[in-house]
Every structure is written in structure tokens, then in C-alpha cells.
Amino acid sequence: AVVMFTGKANCPYYAKAELLADYLQTNLPNFRVHKIIQHPDKWEQWLHDICETNGWEHRQCPIIWRELLDRGGKGQLLGGLNDFLEYAQQYYGITSMMLSEEMLDIAEENLQAHLEIVKEDEEIKSLIKPMQIWITSASVPICYHLIPLLASGEVFGMTTEISIHLLDTVQFKEILRSIVMEAEDMAFPLLRSISEHTGLDQAFVDADVIIVLDDVLLNLEAQSLENYIREVSEICQVYAPLIEKNAKSEVKVISSGKTFANLKATMLRIYGPSIRPENIIAIATSWESAAKAMLARKLNMSTAGVKDVIVWGNITGSNYIDLSHAKLYGYDCAIRGPPNFQHPLLNMIYDSEWIHSEFLSAQSTLSSRVSRCTAMLPAHAIATVLRYWYHGSPGDIISLGILSEGQFCIPEGITCSMPVRFQNGNWEVMTELEIDETTQKVLRRLSHELVQEKLVALKEINEMQPYEAE
């Protein structure tokens, strides 16, 4: 039989029973001891639970019982300290002569040792605790393509385990369940768990990363733009307080999707003022990628060699593709150099008419192409930006929808796509870049549109306030 000893870490009676038990285990060949020490704050609840489970009546510290391993069933309760002293005297003729001062000293040592063990356990658990990733509107195709990218290890690192939480309304429960089962079947080594959620009560709990994919289906013939903006505002009004309440203090929030990416980021900041403003971003990488591909086809080269294309403005609205800083690497021409040798893109496209007419006018075509890419391209864009955020974007210019603080004369307080670089887990705006007069003129127009969009949203908020007060 094994004798189980449990008590408060600072209990002198537990200390006395423990020392006697150690003596018996050392001197008796068949006497085995197992100790379970509890923090004083958790003792009462633990004692209540163990007694209720086994049908025991015991209210003191310590509690001692025999585990009848060879017989099965519940253990045999011996009782407290006095019961154990009597048990040891009766069966083995051994008793304890420990003094009160010794009992108190050992109890204090037990408490300090227990606290150190608890601290070590917490540190070890923190090292292996998976990163918590929440995805809203998770039934959309973007999420389906995003999960393998996140779980492969290329985004957060090959030693970082993740847990993915899929959030959507109850009508999409079956779709979420099928996604969960398929992801589980793929047995990603770094995917600790994946789960579906159709209620908001536990939304964003312990979130490290939140990816907001919610969209409104635009049909301006059916209802006005103002009504769609109100829908976006209402979604953010629900999410932001939950993020503040449940997510980690350094949570990273990513706004993506086909509609109102900038506005969602802005409204999440307004409704969630305690969320770090620099941790709420909107993804513009889909536009960058599509523009680079279009340029690479014109130049008959690899898309990977086109760098530093900048997307300004409203990511899912009016934006501007800026080529003035774009560079080409590995371009096959008369002038060649080492792998890091670069050509200014505008110097290599000799057909300037193509730049000013076909490429810029083709942005409407580009917009249609990006809008139709409902899955693979935007999923890759999200994964790429997350990888940069955690591991840096060495030397590359990345377009990102961020809260303006007046950079490039863009009005403060709106979410606008502009050039940044990622480094050491943060991003910084590349304010050292010079922008030409054409870009400045376009930025004034794009900024005005974003300000108006925000004003409409704020108007909707103000109109809702009196109603809510009633």
C-alpha cells in the first residue's frame, strides 16, 4: 500500500506527519509515501473536492489515506495527524517526538520550497504554451487557405506551437467543424489544437493574434454606403470590448478581407481604446503582390525580383500604386551585378507611356483581380505580414494600413496604407522616403476619402448614442 499525505504548505501538523512518514519509508521495506502539498489559498477547496469525490468526512490539515493499489476502488481514509501518530504507534511501534518550534520551522521551509516549485513550473509552462490565434468569420475561404500557412511553422518559427480558434455565427457551425476535422487530419506538428466557436462569451480569450476577416456584401443598389458603414461599426463595437477584456495586453489585431479593411482597423481603435494603436493594422500586401506580378509579366522576369512597390490609401477602396521607389533584382539586361545588385524599376521600363496609361489605368483591372481573389492571395498576404512582424522584413518596403500620426502630411487619426519596415517585433514608418508631387496630390485626395468614411462612421455612432441611452 501507498500512504498519501496532503496538507497546506505552511501547516506545522503536516510537517510533523511528513517527517514521521519519511522515517517510516526509510526504515520499512514495504512502506511507501506519496506527498501532495497545496498552497494555503487552495487548500480548503482542494480538501472539499477530494472528500466529496471519495465520500469522506474530514476538515483538518493534513489529510492522510492509504491507496489500495492491489485492490482497486477508492482509498482508505486514515485521518489527520493524531490518527497517523496512532497508526504508526499501533502497527510499527514508532512515534514522533518533534517539538513545536521544529514543526513551525519545517512548515516555513515547506512553504518557501513549494512557492519556488510553483514558480519553476509556471516558467516551464510558459515556454511550451502555444500561441493563441483567433480568426473571425472563419467560414470564409481565406481562413481555409490560411490555416496551413500558419500551422506549417514558416510564419511564427519552426519551434513555436500554435492553437487556432475559429469564430463565426452558429449558422456556419458545420463548416467550422469540417475545417477543424480536416486540419486535425493533416497532423501539423506545430498545431497544438484547433477549435470552433459560435458564441461570443469566450471570444478572444488569451489571444496573441486576432485576424478579423468580417466583410459586408456590398450592393449599393440595395442599400446606401452609410448603412454598410454602420454594419462595419456594429461589428467592431462588439469585438473591441471583448478584445480589451479577454485578449493579452500585447495582442496583435489584423484587419483583412474584401471590404472596409481600413475602416475596421479605425473603428476597433475607437471602440477599444486600451488596445495598443500600433498593434492594429490592415493588410495591403495583396495589392503589392498583384502589382509586382503585373510588372514582372511586362518585364518578362520573376515576380520575386520586384521589390518596394508602395500601396497608398484605402486598401479595399481608392488606393494608389507608387512605383517611384520600386527596384528590380536579378533583372536580365546589359548591366549585371552580384545578387544584391538592383535596378530602379522606372529606368528599366522604357515605355513610359505604358506606366502612365496602361499600368495606372489598369489599376481598375488590378482592383477587380484582387477583389476576385477571395482565398489564396489574401491568405498569403496575411501570413507574409505576420512573418515580417515576428521575424522582420530586412530592407524591404512593406505597405501597411496603420494609424496616421501626420506622416507624409496625411491627416491624423485615420487608417491609411503607407510604407513601413518591420524590425525586432515592431514596425516603423519609412518617413525618410521622398514622395513626388504627383504622389502628394493623390494622397490629399485619398486622405479626404478616408476622413469622410471615418466621419460617416462617427456620425452613425453619435446617432446611436441617444437611442442606447433610452
Side-chain angles (χ1 to χ4, degrees):
V2 175
V3 180
M4 308 291 293
F5 285 78
T6 301
K8 292 185 288 186
N10 63 345
C11 175
Y13 302 108
Y14 171 80
K16 186 170 184 175
E18 177 192 33
L19 235 62
L20 177 56
D22 288 343
Y23 177 83
L24 293 174
Q25 181 171 248
T26 302
N27 292 278
L28 298 174
N30 297 319
F31 191 90
R32 294 290 178 269
V33 176
H34 183 72
K35 305 171 190 175
I36 305 174
I37 195 166
Q38 297 290 333
H39 191 280
D41 295 342
K42 299 180 179 180
W43 165 251
E44 293 296 336
Q45 184 62 49
W46 191 91
L47 179 63
H48 173 270
D49 293 344
I50 194 71
C51 288
E52 184 173 307
T53 300
N54 290 280
W56 295 335
E57 287 289 338
H58 190 84
R59 295 291 177 266
Q60 301 170 344
C61 175
I63 179 172
I64 304 167
W65 72 92
R66 294 177 66 213
E67 285 284 357
L68 307 177
L69 301 179
D70 57 339
R71 303 181 195 175
K74 66 180 183 179
Q76 178 185 4
L77 179 66
L78 298 180
L81 172 63
N82 291 333
D83 300 298
F84 182 62
L85 292 175
E86 184 179 339
Y87 171 84
Q89 177 66 42
Q90 181 177 347
Y91 281 89
Y92 307 113
I94 298 172
T95 189
S96 173
M97 304 300 292
M98 183 184 291
L99 301 176
S100 297
E101 285 188 17
E102 292 178 285
M103 291 166 58
L104 292 171
D105 289 343
I106 293 175
E108 179 62 26
E109 290 178 8
N110 281 344
L111 177 60
Q112 295 306 317
H114 177 70
L115 293 176
E116 289 179 9
I117 291 170
V118 169
K119 183 179 179 181
E120 289 176 3
D121 287 345
E122 289 176 352
E123 290 176 352
I124 292 171
K125 288 178 182 178
S126 69
L127 295 175
I128 61 173
K129 190 174 182 181
M131 180 178 289
Q132 304 294 321
I133 302 168
W134 285 77
I135 305 174
T136 71
S137 286
S139 63
V140 300
I142 297 176
C143 177
Y144 185 82
H145 286 264
L146 181 59
I147 289 171
L149 299 177
L150 297 176
S152 67
E154 294 184 11
V155 174
F156 302 108
M158 301 305 293
T159 60
T160 302
E161 292 189 341
I162 64 172
S163 287
I164 298 177
H165 304 267
L166 308 179
L167 178 65
D168 214 322
T169 57
V170 69
Q171 70 185 97
F172 297 108
K173 184 177 179 62
E174 290 304 315
I175 294 177
L176 296 186
R177 186 61 196 146
S178 64
I179 294 173
V180 167
M181 292 178 67
E182 188 168 353
E184 289 174 341
D185 289 345
M186 294 176 77
F188 292 104
L190 296 175
L191 183 60
R192 176 78 67 86
S193 64
I194 181 168
S195 56
E196 76 269 16
H197 305 263
T198 55
L200 291 171
D201 51 334
Q202 295 296 312
F204 312 127
V205 168
D206 292 332
D208 294 288
V209 175
I210 297 171
I211 301 167
V212 179
L213 299 180
D214 298 74
D215 273 324
V216 294
L217 301 176
L218 287 176
N219 182 1
L220 296 179
E221 295 180 0
Q223 60 176 314
S224 67
L225 183 64
E226 287 76 10
N227 285 337
Y228 288 116
I229 289 176
R230 172 176 287 184
E231 285 185 39
V232 173
S233 181
E234 288 173 353
I235 291 168
C236 296
Q237 192 174 16
V238 172
Y239 286 164
L242 289 169
I243 295 171
E244 290 185 301
K245 176 184 175 184
N246 295 335
K248 293 179 181 173
S249 59
E250 296 296 310
V251 63
K252 292 175 169 61
V253 183
I254 292 175
S255 172
S256 186
K258 294 187 292 182
T259 59
F260 298 107
N262 295 52
L263 184 62
K264 285 185 289 187
T266 299
M267 301 313 292
L268 286 170
R269 290 189 190 96
I270 291 173
Y271 287 124
S274 69
I275 306 170
R276 289 184 61 189
E278 60 270 30
N279 279 8
I280 303 177
I281 64 170
I283 301 291
T285 318
S286 295
W287 281 94
E288 280 185 12
S289 300
K292 289 175 182 177
M294 187 175 179
L295 292 162
R297 283 191 287 269
K298 172 68 175 177
L299 293 163
N300 194 27
M301 65 174 294
S302 167
T303 305
V306 184
K307 303 284 188 180
D308 299 345
V309 173
I310 301 173
V311 180
W312 298 94
N314 191 349
I315 296 162
T316 49
S318 298
N319 55 52
Y320 172 64
I321 309 296
D322 180 6
L323 304 181
S324 60
H325 299 277
K327 304 175 187 67
L328 303 178
Y329 292 84
Y331 182 54
D332 187 10
C333 65
I335 303 174
R336 300 187 183 185
N340 61 348
F341 181 74
Q342 62 189 34
H343 294 281
L345 181 142
L346 294 180
N347 290 356
M348 296 296 105
I349 297 183
Y350 303 107
D351 185 359
S352 60
E353 187 62 28
W354 183 85
I355 290 289
H356 295 291
S357 60
E358 289 190 40
F359 180 77
L360 295 180
S361 64
Q363 285 197 45
S364 59
T365 305
L366 200 63
S367 175
S368 176
R369 178 189 293 273
V370 172
S371 298
R372 288 198 307 269
C373 293
T374 58
M376 195 157 45
L377 178 58
H380 177 264
I382 294 168
T384 299
V385 170
L386 274 172
R387 185 175 74 251
Y388 288 150
W389 209 342
Y390 280 87
H391 302 290
S393 57
D396 289 359
I397 297 175
I398 308 301
S399 303
L400 199 65
I402 60 168
L403 180 66
S404 170
E405 296 180 350
Q407 304 96 331
F408 305 107
C409 297
I410 298 170
E412 296 182 21
I414 59 173
T415 299
C416 184
S417 179
M418 62 182 79
V420 307
R421 68 165 63 87
F422 286 92
Q423 192 171 4
N424 300 324
N426 299 298
W427 52 260
E428 61 178 359
V429 181
M430 301 181 69
T431 52
E432 72 275 13
L433 293 180
E434 295 182 4
I435 57 176
D436 57 29
E437 187 176 338
T438 301
T439 304
Q440 290 176 357
K441 183 178 178 180
V442 173
L443 276 179
R444 285 194 289 271
R445 175 176 60 81
L446 298 180
S447 298
H448 177 74
E449 290 183 11
L450 286 168
V451 169
Q452 292 303 309
E453 190 176 79
K454 179 183 176 182
L455 289 175
V456 171
L458 292 175
K459 178 178 177 236
E460 298 295 340
I461 295 173
N462 293 331
E463 288 179 353
M464 292 167 63
Q465 296 290 346
Y467 174 78
E468 291 175 353
E470 292 176 5

